[in-house]
Amino acid sequence: MAPRRLLLIAAALAAATAPAAAFYLPGLAPVNFCEAGKEKPECKSGIELFVNRLDSVESVLPYEYTAFDFCQAEGKKRPSENLGQVLFGERIEPSPYRFTFNKKETCKSVCTKTYDTTKPEDKQKLDFLKKSMLLNYQHHWIVDNMPVTWCYDVEDGQRFCNPGFPIGCYITEDGRPKDACVINSEFHEKDTFYIFNHVDIKIYYHVVENEALGARLVAAKLEPKSYKHTHPDNPDCSGVPMDISNKASGEVKIAYTYSVTFHEEKNIRWASRWDYILESMPHTHIQWFSIMNSLVIVLFLSGMVAMIMLRTLHKDIARYNQMDSTEDAQEEFGWKLVHGDIFRPPRKGMLLSVFLGSGTQILIMTFVTLFFACLGFLSPANRGALMTCAVVLWVLLGTPAGYVAARFYKSFGGEKWKTNVLLTSFLCPGIVFADFFIMNLILWGEGSSAAIPFGTLVAILALWFCISVPLTFIGAYFGFKKNAIEHPVRTNQIPRQIPEQSFYTKPLPGIIMGGILPFGCIFIQLFFILNSIWSHQMYYMFGFLFLVFIILVITCSEATILLCYFHLCAEDYHWQWRSFLTSGFTAVYFLIYAIHYFFSKLQITGTASTILYFGYTMIMVLIFFLFTGYSDSNRAKSYVFSCYMSDQGSPKAVGGQGKGEAVGGLKFAVYPRKLGDWVVTLDKN
């Protein structure tokens, strides 16, 4: 006890003597800024502006800032990126834009780019710039780890804030303005590009009163403009817009400038500085509608399952307990008649066990990732943290995947344990990696910044082969070492014949119907997720997403239990694969919705972008299939065990209900006196 008391006293003294300080996540601590001449070690005056990749809603191919012939920062070190940023294709680089805190700048020159269209190299650069404006590529700038937003008024008096701004815009040959050209009536020349070569930047700060010296930045906004500077060396930011005719020839000069102003904001604290980015995202009422809709579905399914479990099953079991003769037993029907076949190993049990193991890995990974995201550890401010967390968790969760696959495979009576472990380690991850590698080859060929460097691919393979695979083998070792799952009833040697099924109890219609309700719980949330991925909008509603995740798991489980009961009542005992595919079919609805989203919401053009969209969508569909399939199959297994669980004895000694003939011609009958209590009687005839 003495060492423990000493530690407590030391901790108390440290807390009493240390200055009050807040807890900040790594990389998310606030930075204090002071005016020039008042700098201190904890307070600096220089503000750096970083640039990220440029992307477009009309193309899946992002490009690095250096791929365009913009003004470059000389001699500045590129900030390091985590695994998630590399996988998402983020390429943050220093820029030549540099400000001094609280110092106003007006029409300051950055650089001037000159293109001689008679030179092939210059013409290629100018054509690439025109193509990027035609596809509406967007800048993404960062100040003090905050995205610089472009806010503008839209219809109905609303204000839309976009975490990016376009390179420029285009007026078509028939005089129709495209994209951002609608914001300025001076953009009217036909078949002409207008480049935004000037930005007015407004930086808002909050003065720290009691915590530390200086001020903290709480918002950064800009307004892109276009000026044809008559004197690039001495710009005045006035005059006509900077236009580039599509048929321009000769020499073209583009001068880049900026203006910056600082404004004190007393009402915004540093902790809530990301709120201004959400000004144009009033989707909370839609989210609550989605949650309420999902809860209604859950309550409906819960009522159905409760009715089956508490009324139907209870009534059936009570009737079982009142049986006194074989005639009563012969009158039974439905799920009770398939007790001798219910635990018959499924076809392709190896593949089912592998899917269940991989589904376990994905389910736990998703739960933990969303839980940490709800706590704020994986907020958008911590760039790439979400993907990094998911990948690391997937690698470390090889043990439960191997264990679950081994346990199920052993309960199916399988003996090829080596094949089972290898398939669990390589089948599903191998499909994902092969798809990802093919997509990466396309990105390499297009010169996109989203292409994963070769070194990162090697690192991912090292994580897979050196960590995930050994952990899967360890889990499988413990899974095979344990005894097989003991079934409560004995399986008949001869399979029972399945009677003719009605339409809704046939396998395919039942599976198709089973995926509708789970998809109904998520399709609204799915819209926002696809928007964040393909329309480059910021996703921040992790609390809603975590709640929908829980509702989805419950809905999958209850829908599968419900349909499993109907199938057993129809004397169809092939429930293992059907329980996995029932809610797993939700992934097919996911795919159908993704196709609808592609054609109705996106303006993606080009063969490469289309292939990339559907290639990455197939990865998401596979992961979603394994996740939903496991979440309902495991609950269905528990339900079936609860139905056929024996309390007072085991029917293994007699082998099941029916009649037979013993040695010497003595006839007997076997029937259940009550569930789990089996009796052998002599046949008087």
Side-chain angles (χ1 to χ4, degrees):
M1 292 295 293
R4 185 177 179 183
R5 288 180 180 176
L6 288 174
L7 288 173
L8 290 175
I9 294 171
L13 289 174
T17 56
F23 170 75
Y24 297 106
L25 298 176
L28 299 180
V31 179
N32 297 323
F33 293 93
C34 300
E35 296 180 5
K38 300 180 180 179
E39 300 94 335
K40 292 186 178 182
E42 67 276 8
C43 186
K44 61 180 184 179
S45 61
I47 300 175
E48 292 185 86
L49 187 146
F50 291 92
V51 291
N52 205 342
R53 65 176 186 178
L54 286 84
D55 51 37
S56 168
V57 295
E58 298 182 28
S59 174
V60 181
L61 302 170
Y63 291 97
E64 294 186 27
Y65 183 82
T66 54
F68 301 85
D69 193 34
F70 297 133
C71 302
Q72 305 293 330
E74 301 294 339
K76 292 186 179 180
K77 187 179 179 182
R78 182 174 181 169
S80 59
E81 298 160 342
N82 56 40
L83 179 61
Q85 289 177 288
V86 175
L87 292 178
F88 269 127
E90 291 195 19
R91 299 293 184 268
I92 299 177
E93 302 175 7
S95 77
Y97 298 87
R98 187 176 178 85
F99 320 125
T100 302
F101 177 72
N102 221 6
K103 181 181 178 182
K104 181 180 179 181
E105 299 281 0
T106 303
C107 201
K108 186 171 182 178
S109 176
V110 182
C111 73
T112 301
K113 293 292 182 178
T114 303
Y115 304 95
D116 188 351
T117 55
T118 59
K119 297 180 180 179
E121 184 180 353
D122 285 359
K123 188 177 186 305
Q124 184 180 4
K125 292 179 180 179
L126 188 60
D127 289 342
F128 186 68
L129 198 61
K130 290 179 182 179
K131 182 181 178 181
S132 65
M133 287 188 279
L134 190 63
L135 293 175
N136 195 28
Y137 269 83
Q138 306 269 323
H139 286 279
H140 293 280
W141 290 2
I142 302 168
V143 170
D144 192 29
N145 200 35
M146 290 186 302
V148 182
T149 60
W150 173 36
C151 297
Y152 52 91
D153 295 325
V154 292
E155 57 186 10
D156 299 331
Q158 295 183 346
R159 191 165 180 80
F160 183 82
C161 290
N162 186 29
F165 66 97
I167 296 175
C169 59
Y170 176 63
I171 303 293
T172 61
E173 294 181 356
D174 56 359
R176 182 174 56 87
K178 282 193 63 179
D179 303 317
C181 277
V182 298
I183 67 173
N184 194 336
S185 60
E186 294 185 23
F187 299 162
H188 55 77
E189 293 291 335
K190 296 181 180 180
D191 196 21
T192 301
F193 293 92
Y194 290 91
I195 187 168
F196 294 118
N197 59 334
H198 175 85
V199 287
D200 286 335
I201 303 174
K202 294 182 180 179
I203 298 179
Y204 299 85
Y205 63 91
H206 177 84
V207 177
V208 182
E209 299 174 354
N210 300 323
E211 299 180 29
L213 296 174
R216 294 173 181 172
L217 307 187
V218 295
K221 300 180 181 181
L222 62 75
E223 182 179 357
K225 294 182 178 179
S226 179
Y227 294 115
K228 180 179 284 187
H229 301 292
T230 53
H231 302 286
D233 297 332
N234 187 23
D236 57 359
C237 294
S238 62
V240 297
M242 179 65 209
D243 58 332
I244 305 173
S245 175
N246 198 19
K247 302 179 178 64
S249 60
E251 189 177 75
V252 177
K253 283 189 176 182
I254 304 176
Y256 292 91
T257 57
Y258 74 90
S259 299
V260 60
T261 57
F262 291 83
H263 307 270
E264 183 177 359
E265 180 58 68
K266 298 181 179 180
N267 298 324
I268 302 178
R269 296 282 180 175
W270 184 88
S272 58
R273 65 178 186 161
W274 278 71
D275 292 351
Y276 81 98
I277 300 171
L278 313 179
E279 288 179 11
S280 60
M281 302 180 182
H283 303 315
T284 305
H285 62 288
I286 300 177
Q287 295 295 322
W288 281 117
F289 171 78
S290 171
I291 298 297
M292 295 305 298
N293 175 60
S294 303
L295 286 175
V296 168
I297 295 175
V298 169
L299 291 175
F300 168 74
L301 289 175
S302 299
M304 294 289 290
V305 172
M307 183 179 67
I308 290 172
M309 297 296 290
L310 297 179
R311 296 189 60 184
T312 310
L313 285 181
H314 180 74
K315 183 179 178 180
D316 289 342
I317 293 173
R319 288 181 59 195
Y320 245 173
N321 294 338
Q322 295 173 1
M323 290 181 184
D324 295 321
S325 65
T326 57
E327 287 76 11
D328 294 332
Q330 292 170 359
E331 294 175 359
E332 293 303 332
F333 62 92
W335 63 273
K336 300 174 287 299
L337 295 181
V338 295
H339 68 275
D341 298 276
I342 195 68
F343 294 109
R344 189 175 301 282
R347 302 184 185 95
K348 306 293 182 182
M350 171 79 79
L351 184 61
L352 179 58
S353 64
V354 170
F355 282 172
L356 290 171
S358 298
T360 305
Q361 194 174 12
I362 295 170
L363 179 67
I364 300 174
M365 177 198 75
T366 307
F367 176 82
V368 177
T369 302
L370 290 180
F371 180 75
F372 279 115
C374 288
L375 296 179
F377 290 94
L378 308 178
S379 68
N382 198 356
R383 301 175 186 279
L386 187 72
M387 179 59 76
T388 303
C389 178
V391 172
V392 171
L393 283 173
W394 179 84
V395 169
L396 297 178
L397 288 171
T399 300
Y403 179 82
V404 170
R407 290 285 285 159
F408 274 99
Y409 183 64
K410 192 171 183 179
S411 71
F412 295 156
E415 297 179 353
K416 299 179 181 179
W417 64 271
K418 294 180 181 178
T419 305
N420 181 261
V421 178
L422 290 174
L423 285 177
T424 306
S425 302
F426 295 106
L427 180 61
C428 296
I431 294 173
V432 172
F433 185 82
D435 190 333
F436 183 77
F437 184 73
I438 293 172
M439 298 302 104
N440 206 52
L441 288 178
I442 296 175
L443 292 170
W444 273 339
E446 296 290 335
S448 172
S449 66
I452 308 301
F454 180 76
T456 305
L457 284 177
V458 173
I460 294 173
L461 287 174
L463 290 173
W464 179 13
F465 284 95
C466 300
I467 300 178
S468 180
V469 172
L471 289 176
T472 306
F473 272 78
I474 293 172
Y477 169 78
F478 287 104
F480 281 113
K481 191 176 180 181
K482 294 197 69 173
N483 295 328
I485 300 173
E486 186 175 353
H487 298 146
V489 293
R490 185 176 178 180
T491 302
N492 294 335
Q493 293 183 355
I494 301 175
R496 181 185 180 88
Q497 185 176 359
I498 300 174
E500 184 69 23
Q501 299 292 302
S502 59
F503 175 77
Y504 68 90
T505 57
K506 289 182 179 179
L508 188 59
I511 291 171
I512 293 174
M513 290 187 295
I516 294 176
L517 291 177
F519 180 76
C521 295
I522 64 166
F523 80 96
I524 294 180
Q525 196 68 229
L526 190 60
F527 171 77
F528 293 108
I529 294 174
L530 292 178
N531 268 353
S532 67
I533 296 174
W534 303 113
S535 297
H536 314 295
Q537 295 184 12
M538 196 165 295
Y539 191 86
Y540 62 95
M541 298 170 287
F542 293 109
F544 285 111
L545 185 59
F546 185 72
L547 187 56
V548 169
F549 167 80
I550 300 298
I551 291 175
L552 175 64
V553 172
I554 297 173
T555 306
C556 288
S557 305
E558 292 181 342
T560 305
I561 289 174
L562 200 61
L563 292 174
C564 187
Y565 173 77
F566 292 150
H567 297 146
L568 292 178
C569 287
E571 301 179 32
D572 186 352
Y573 49 83
H574 295 305
W575 61 275
Q576 289 98 333
W577 266 111
R578 186 175 295 183
S579 65
F580 184 89
L581 295 175
T582 296
S583 288
F585 200 81
T586 309
V588 178
Y589 291 108
F590 179 5
L591 176 61
I592 295 172
Y593 184 81
I595 295 172
H596 165 74
Y597 181 84
F598 176 82
F599 288 105
S600 63
K601 303 295 182 182
L602 299 180
Q603 300 95 37
I604 290 177
T605 58
T607 304
S609 295
T610 303
I611 294 173
L612 288 168
Y613 175 85
F614 286 104
Y616 287 128
T617 297
M618 293 308 299
I619 294 178
M620 293 187 285
V621 168
L622 175 60
I623 293 173
F624 195 71
F625 169 74
L626 296 172
F627 154 64
T628 53
Y630 170 77
S631 64
D632 66 286
S633 179
N634 199 39
R635 304 304 185 280
K637 181 176 183 295
S638 302
Y639 162 72
V640 172
F641 265 77
S642 67
C643 288
Y644 295 93
M645 186 60 67
S646 171
D647 301 9
Q648 304 180 13
S650 173
K652 292 180 180 178
V654 295
Q657 179 180 342
K659 294 184 178 182
E661 186 173 330
V663 179
L666 184 64
K667 296 181 180 179
F668 65 89
V670 181
Y671 69 95
R673 185 171 60 197
K674 59 182 178 179
L675 195 61
D677 191 2
W678 294 73
V679 177
V680 181
T681 60
L682 295 178
D683 191 342
K684 297 179 182 179
N685 297 326

